[in-house]
Amino acid sequence: MISNYSFYNCSGFDGTLKLSINLKYINEHAFENCFNFVGDLIIPNSVVEIKNNAFLNCSGFINDLLIPNSLVIIDSETFKNCSSLNGTLTIPPSIEKINENAFLGTNFSKLIFLVENSIDCSESIGFPVDSIVNVQH
């Protein structure tokens, strides 16, 4: 588990963020306002929940966000204002809930839902409707 505010306002990153393959939870504000990351943000296959504001206002991540099949909940404003994320976001079938503004302020070119069941989404998860593609899995 990465605790609340563990790396809040951290500016010392200078490369790719590599998270433990045994990590289950990324708690509130864990990486909020961190910058100087480089490359894709890869969430390990062990993570089941990412809490509120975990990556709020982070910069430097580019291209795709790789969400594992283990993830069940993406909480409010988790990736809000991570504007350098600009590739494709694929939501795996394991996702059961996406809370409000989870992706507001990102610049993904496309959002793909690989759905098996319905997903409980807040009224706005932060994407324009025309960027969403639903794919029955």
Side-chain angles (χ1 to χ4, degrees):
M1 169 178 70
I2 298 176
S3 299
N4 295 349
Y5 296 94
S6 290
F7 298 97
Y8 181 81
N9 283 332
C10 185
S11 61
F13 292 105
D14 63 357
T16 302
L17 177 63
K18 293 186 180 181
L19 300 170
S20 168
I21 60 170
N22 297 317
L23 182 64
K24 290 200 180 290
Y25 303 97
I26 301 173
N27 282 334
E28 295 180 8
H29 309 277
F31 294 96
E32 182 177 342
N33 296 325
C34 293
F35 58 93
N36 291 338
F37 291 112
V38 175
D40 295 333
L41 173 55
I42 301 171
I43 309 294
N45 285 327
S46 55
V47 173
V48 295
E49 186 173 4
I50 302 175
K51 294 287 206 167
N52 295 337
N53 307 102
F55 291 95
L56 176 68
N57 298 323
C58 284
S59 68
F61 296 121
I62 57 170
N63 298 323
D64 301 333
L65 171 58
L66 305 175
I67 294 181
N69 283 323
S70 59
L71 193 61
V72 176
I73 297 171
I74 301 173
D75 227 331
S76 301
E77 300 183 348
T78 299
F79 299 100
K80 183 178 177 182
N81 296 330
C82 293
S83 59
S84 57
L85 288 170
N86 60 9
T88 298
L89 172 60
T90 303
I91 303 294
S94 62
I95 296 292
E96 295 175 2
K97 186 171 188 172
I98 302 174
N99 284 330
E100 65 275 352
N101 297 322
F103 300 103
L104 184 68
T106 59
N107 287 307
F108 290 109
S109 58
K110 188 183 293 184
L111 171 62
I112 300 173
F113 281 95
L114 299 175
V115 294
E116 288 181 353
N117 302 307
S118 62
I119 297 174
D120 179 8
C121 286
S122 294
E123 184 175 318
S124 173
I125 61 171
F127 277 100
V129 175
D130 62 350
S131 68
I132 299 173
V133 176
N134 287 318
V135 178
Q136 291 292 0
H137 192 251

